[in-house]
Amino acid sequence: MFKCKTSAEVGGMGHSVKRKEDARFLHGKGNYVDDVKLPGMLTMVMVRSPYAYAKIKSINKEKALAIPGVLAVITGEDLAQYNLHWMPTLLSDTQMVLPTDTVMHQAQEVCAVIATDRYIAVDGAEAVDVQYEPMDPIVDPFKALDKDAPLLRPDKEDQKDNQIYHWERGDRAKTDEVIANADVVVKERIHLPRIHVASIETCGCVASYDKDTEKLVVYLTTQAPHAIRTVVALVAGHVGLSEEKIRIISPDIGGGFGGKVPVYPAYVVAIAATFLIGKPVKWIEDRSENLVNGFARDYHMDCELAATKDGKIQAFKVSTLADHGYTDSSANPSKYPTGMFSICTGSYDYEHAFAELDAVYTNKAPGGVAYRCSFRVTEAVHAIERMVDKLAAKIGKDPALLRLENFIKKEQFPYSSPLGWSYDSGDYEATLKKAMDMLGYDDYKKEQAQKRKEGKLMGIGISTFTEVVGAGPSKDFDILGIAMFDSAEIRVHPTGKALARFGTKSQGQGHETTYAQILAEELGIPYTDIEIDEGDTDTAPYGLGTYASRSTPTAGAAAAIAARKLRDKGKKIAAYLLEVSEEDIEWEVGKYFVKGAPEKSKTIQEVVFAAYTNIPPGMEPGFEATHYYDPPNLTFPNGAYICVVEVEKETGAIDVKRFVAIDDCGNIINPMIVEGQVHGGLTQGIAPAMYEGIEYDDEGNVLNGTFMDYLVPTAVESPHWETGHTITPSPHHPLGAKGVAESPTVGAPPAIANAIIDALAPLGIEHLDIPITPAKVWEAIQAHS
Amino acid sequence: MIPANFTYHKASSLKDAIALAESLGEEAKYMSGGHSLLPMMKLRFATPEHIIDISKIQGLSFIKEEGDLLKIGAMTTQTEMEYSDLLRSKYPIFGDAIKLTADPSVRNVGTLGGNIAHGDAANDQPALMLAMRATVIAEGVDGQKSIPIDEFFHGFYMTALEPTDILVEIHIPKASKHSGGAYHKVERKVGDYATAGVAVYVELDDDGVCREIGIALTNVSAVPMRVDRAEELLRGKKITDDLIGQAGVFASEDCEPTSDLRGSEAYKRSLVDTITKRMLNKALERARQ
Amino acid sequence: MKHEITLTINGQSVTAEVDSRLLLVHFIRENLDLTGTHIGCDTSNCGACTILLNGKSVKSCTYLAVRADGAEITTIEGIAAEGTNHPIQQGFHDQHGLHCGFCTPGMIMRSIDLLNNNPNPTEEEIRWGISGNLCRCTGYNNIVKSIRQAAEEMQKEKETTV
């Protein structure tokens, strides 16, 4: 286990210090985008399409403009004059800012009403008269490639059908051969439905352009302020918005989960509006606008898993159809259109795998948001973990035993996976065994056998997942060509207190505390003496932001290395102050001392003071350092989750009795925060497993676009989570740490699905797609009785 | 989401409110707790020109037994009912329902009268009122009137109330020595409207024979409904497991659910069967205590 | 149409002119600049806008400002003296009951009402008691612990003052 090197007062790694950022939130003093109020600020409200697919025949602004207080109605035609009506997506597709002729999904932005206050703006939006000519939409992605399907994107020159791209990885022929000759093959089509991040704060912005200074300031709900600044400069450079004149401020963010990475059309319209009108413009999404725009998941995966009759896994194949909506706006690294989906071979040691994917256009909202998941890892893990359970059921082997027999062994790391990843570290057997012990696995197996004799439905489900997070090494990972490094800049003031700034942006993860703890660990300066600042592109160093569990793997590493640069400088100063040579100086947390004479020492604070007051001859004054960290590899956190459920035959009701989660995220900076992240991720795991999913009717209407029907779990649905850890440090991360916050979202759904399906197994039920609701369970029971 | 423009009027007395409603005409709506009406106005499903606030009218919030009746004032909030000692000790059916209605903050504002007067078969109190054979007391242009609950619900969001009528009080036959009620609904998550809900109220004589029975359903029909056939089956009999089973079947056959996001028609009918049986047993257990 | 209303907010009397349709949450946030009360859903499902109205937790997104005439309103900004914590705020800090902080004010205001009605709630009662307040970050485990800590603390305070 991890042993703390620092005292509780210093609060370095391993200490569960309380969060430094709490006070403002507890007292209602947080500063979220909707709290920003600027002089003369106007409000923008979007008019949205009631149809999934329609020609716009006309937009009549007259009635809206007649309302006192309505200042402007901005349409696609208006933006077209500045060539701002389309914008590029991160994956080389194009997305409408506002349409000039066709709407492609329900609730697409049609035009914007700018007014002096939000009540008037809403009235204005009601009064805009838009005439549509509805067309038959493509809702089912399996029909998108039909010969008679309408071509959804005739605006794209090379587009002859509705396929966006084909992607594949692995050896198709060899994998097919192994599957054809295997003793046992299990197959399933698995759908991970569209879901929404549904952060409690929706998206929004306040855009403010000053015509005198030519400076654009945008307060924005964004997880990646620097990348957004560059995107704005690229999109709007031709109208005179140059990157040094753009300032993106990401204030407090009320939950991100990936949903605040994309550039939404309304942001661009708000920027255009302030640019044209010269007054600040606020846009805040309401919940129903939020839920029907920007989705996650929506993969239909045809899986095949081959094994020997004893259950030794030999090959895995998965062919996926991905429903991207009308444009591919996935916020993925450029070279990874399917994200890290090729992690789908899982935690198991076998040679052959093949994954392919076809992405198609439909008349649905774009998104492809990496919802609390390092780009499609959730889909990948669900596929392999469901299939491993299906294999266990088929050959009648305990799914825990099957996993233990197939795991990559501790000594095999670094492990080259069949689809090309180099797993850094793990001890999968120890992690699963710890989870089984904590649960009392064998006792539950006995209880289950007894209950089955009584005709009761009880299930135990396991998920032993491997995540891949911390994008990423510059040779492979970029967004719009910008390498996915991240940064830290440390300034230690003369009195020994520090300010550190980062290219990332916390949305609740607790960066103001954990980054301070990393610096406390490295410099011995108490974490309480270190201020952390992020989110303002005018002050923070450039970085790619916070998503994909990348903050600790990238910016956390940058902090450690920048601090080590300072420590090296401090060593020279200490040698000067102690009048010995540098080689004679040793470091222990917070202090330099002379080798063999520990009484001769200087504290870090004394050394820092000297850097400003008693500078060694020839040395550059000051005590500041910056580091841009380009990780050598990704980190591979992993875990073993076990869920126990009981299902009531008459009603299909599902009762989650226990849920044990053991995570291995390497060395832990703040155990309290890590545990909190795991709890939160688990509730976001049970959500799609049992409650959430965006539903469409045949006309492409979203059926559950409010919190009345999009069922975010409350404290009642959320079980009492039981958590624990094993620690296998990352060998390549300077702190031995890995990302963690996404593991539970990735790992929980298959554990829950496996448990429910295991409960139903005596009835002959072999698979159910999530969300597995009581209604769905009841229908399945009827179909099997 | 913001309501369309309207004019707000505060009524200080029933007389005042009714006079206002009469003078403002059809475009006026009463608002008590506002937790049914205001959400519809924010979605602009409802756009009344005038809102008459009746929540400030004094004397409409009470829970008491008087003579043969339990009387509850229309403006009594769900929370007041939840914490009422009288209801907790003698009418636990209210506790069953209220725990499953919306959430505590909504219940702090939402009123019994509003829950009934909205005429929504998805609300929970209508089934309770049907099961307990309540009488609705309303005040209107022509003074007070009593409306038996079976004549109250007319259609989708439609009731026997005239636009100028205000629901002021609910009368329920007082609990007898051997009476008991129970309510349960299956919901997709806590606070949701019912996928299906069943209210049962039973009164036994000293020999354990069913003297009166009420069985009513939530959100499985366009209008809050009573299961007459099941009631007739049980009334005047000693209730056995077989009869309970048959009553469940009748309820599931007679309800009129539609398939929607909450589940298929068949699933809902099956739930009605199961819950009816369970609530009959629970109500009987309480009646026998 | 404008209406003059007078109400008490966090102990201070306020008089204002409001439109009939102005929602209480907007009155609090925009007219009074008390931005600790948040908006999360518009349909009274999420509870981010929860305040105390005459001591009871109420979702201020589903309440007309004009109806608050004469009421006593408490928001997150008014439950403890500047620089100090109400026991529930302390509980959330000690037990890591918040991540992004957006639901936190509503969650705390709801908890005050919960503990008023039930000073010693079980885990089950707490979970049902906050079921009208959504949190997307914490998974609720630590919110439950936060409220338990506050309950114990407030019980102790009561015993020492009696």
Side-chain angles (χ1 to χ4, degrees), chain C residues 3-160:
Chain C
H3 309 268
E4 187 179 286
I5 58 170
T6 299
L7 50 100
T8 308
I9 188 122
N10 299 332
Q12 293 204 318
S13 179
V14 172
T15 298
E17 284 230 315
V18 297
D19 260 339
S20 291
R21 64 170 168 164
L22 182 68
L23 300 171
L24 182 57
V25 69
H26 288 137
F27 177 70
I28 291 169
R29 287 180 52 80
E30 287 170 20
N31 299 41
L32 303 178
D33 278 332
L34 294 169
T35 54
T37 303
H38 298 146
I39 300 171
C41 76
D42 307 294
T43 51
S44 72
N45 292 93
C46 82
C49 64
T50 306
I51 51 127
L52 296 183
L53 184 101
N54 299 325
K56 298 273 180 203
S57 65
V58 165
K59 295 181 171 179
S60 62
C61 78
T62 308
Y63 205 87
L64 297 173
V66 61
R67 304 183 84 194
D69 186 26
E72 196 171 302
I73 288 175
T74 311
T75 68
I76 188 69
E77 291 90 345
I79 60 170
E82 192 94 16
T84 68
N85 279 339
H86 183 283
I88 298 177
Q89 289 168 316
Q90 191 63 42
F92 273 71
H93 181 52
D94 290 346
Q95 301 296 338
H96 189 29
L98 68 153
H99 293 186
C100 80
F102 198 78
C103 77
T104 310
M107 203 60 94
I108 289 173
M109 299 315 286
R110 171 61 208 140
S111 304
I112 291 175
D113 189 10
L114 165 64
L115 294 183
N116 277 343
N117 281 323
N118 183 357
N120 190 22
T122 62
E123 168 162 356
E124 174 88 359
E125 287 167 341
I126 292 173
R127 286 180 180 272
W128 281 85
I130 57 169
S131 65
N133 292 70
L134 297 176
C135 169
R136 197 61 158 170
C137 296
T138 65
Y140 303 105
N141 264 32
N142 288 347
I143 291 181
V144 173
K145 279 163 77 181
S146 304
I147 297 170
R148 265 310 312 166
Q149 174 183 316
E152 280 160 30
E153 207 49 49
M154 288 161 80
Q155 295 271 72
K156 265 189 244 159
E157 270 175 31
K158 220 188 248 167
E159 279 158 25
T160 49

Side-chain angles (χ1 to χ4, degrees), chain A residues 123 709 712 717 778-779, chain B residues 2 44 188-190 264 270:
Chain A
D123 290 345
D709 287 307
V712 173
E717 288 77 35
W778 184 87
E779 300 288 351
Chain B
I2 286 158
R44 301 206 174 185
R188 294 171 301 173
K189 72 169 199 177
V190 63
S264 67
S270 166

Side-chain angles (χ1 to χ4, degrees), chain A residues 25 219 549 626:
Chain A
F25 300 126
Y219 297 86
S549 288
T626 301

Side-chain angles (χ1 to χ4, degrees), chain A residues 186-441:
Chain A
V186 283
K187 298 183 185 187
E188 194 63 68
R189 171 171 288 176
I190 299 172
H191 181 218
L192 253 70
R194 279 192 166 223
I195 51 174
H196 200 279
V197 302
S199 52
I200 306 299
E201 179 200 36
T202 60
C203 296
C205 65
V206 177
S208 178
Y209 182 72
D210 183 317
K211 289 192 173 178
D212 293 325
T213 62
E214 296 180 330
K215 181 121 192 177
L216 172 73
V217 181
V218 188
Y219 297 86
L220 192 66
T221 48
T222 180
Q223 302 172 222
H226 300 273
I228 296 283
R229 186 187 69 197
T230 304
V231 169
V232 172
L234 293 175
V235 171
H238 64 279
V239 295
L241 281 173
S242 164
E243 194 164 1
E244 83 284 9
K245 294 287 191 186
I246 303 167
R247 180 182 186 184
I248 307 293
I249 299 173
S250 180
D252 289 324
I253 300 295
F257 316 118
K260 288 170 182 166
V261 174
V263 176
Y264 293 107
Y267 295 165
V268 180
V269 184
I271 290 169
T274 186
F275 191 72
L276 295 173
I277 299 169
K279 285 189 175 179
V281 174
K282 178 187 272 190
W283 171 70
I284 302 291
E285 198 177 41
D286 72 25
R287 177 57 60 189
S288 48
E289 294 180 284
N290 175 258
L291 284 176
V292 299
N293 279 287
F295 73 95
R297 324 287 187 238
D298 217 349
Y299 268 20
H300 300 262
M301 305 176 287
D302 284 318
C303 306
E304 291 179 79
L305 186 67
T308 65
K309 59 182 187 308
D310 301 329
K312 177 77 192 87
I313 299 172
Q314 294 171 306
F316 183 53
K317 181 179 176 186
V318 50
S319 302
T320 299
L321 184 74
D323 182 347
H324 276 320
Y326 93 89
T327 180
D328 184 4
S329 71
S330 305
N332 287 4
S334 307
K335 298 187 191 78
Y336 293 82
T338 65
M340 273 72 138
F341 184 72
S342 52
I343 195 73
C344 62
T345 53
S347 307
Y348 315 101
D349 181 25
Y350 56 97
E351 247 180 273
H352 306 290
F354 178 72
E356 63 179 338
L357 182 144
D358 291 286
V360 296
Y361 290 127
T362 59
N363 288 108
K364 293 179 190 164
V369 162
Y371 173 11
R372 204 166 184 162
C373 149
S374 183
F375 314 112
R376 306 292 185 181
V377 178
T378 311
E379 290 88 332
V381 164
H382 204 86
I384 186 69
E385 289 305 308
R386 270 300 300 131
M387 294 311 288
V388 166
D389 253 46
K390 195 159 180 185
L391 173 64
K394 173 115 177 185
I395 63 171
K397 193 168 226 169
D398 182 316
L401 184 61
L402 184 89
R403 285 175 166 85
L404 288 166
E405 288 174 354
N406 279 284
F407 276 150
I408 299 160
K409 303 272 178 284
K410 191 181 175 183
E411 55 279 5
Q412 285 176 277
F413 290 95
Y415 176 83
S416 296
S417 81
L419 296 180
W421 298 104
S422 176
Y423 294 11
D424 60 349
S425 64
D427 187 350
Y428 298 156
E429 183 180 328
T431 309
L432 176 55
K433 284 191 168 160
K434 186 165 180 179
M436 291 165 75
D437 286 349
M438 192 163 155
L439 180 80
Y441 185 77

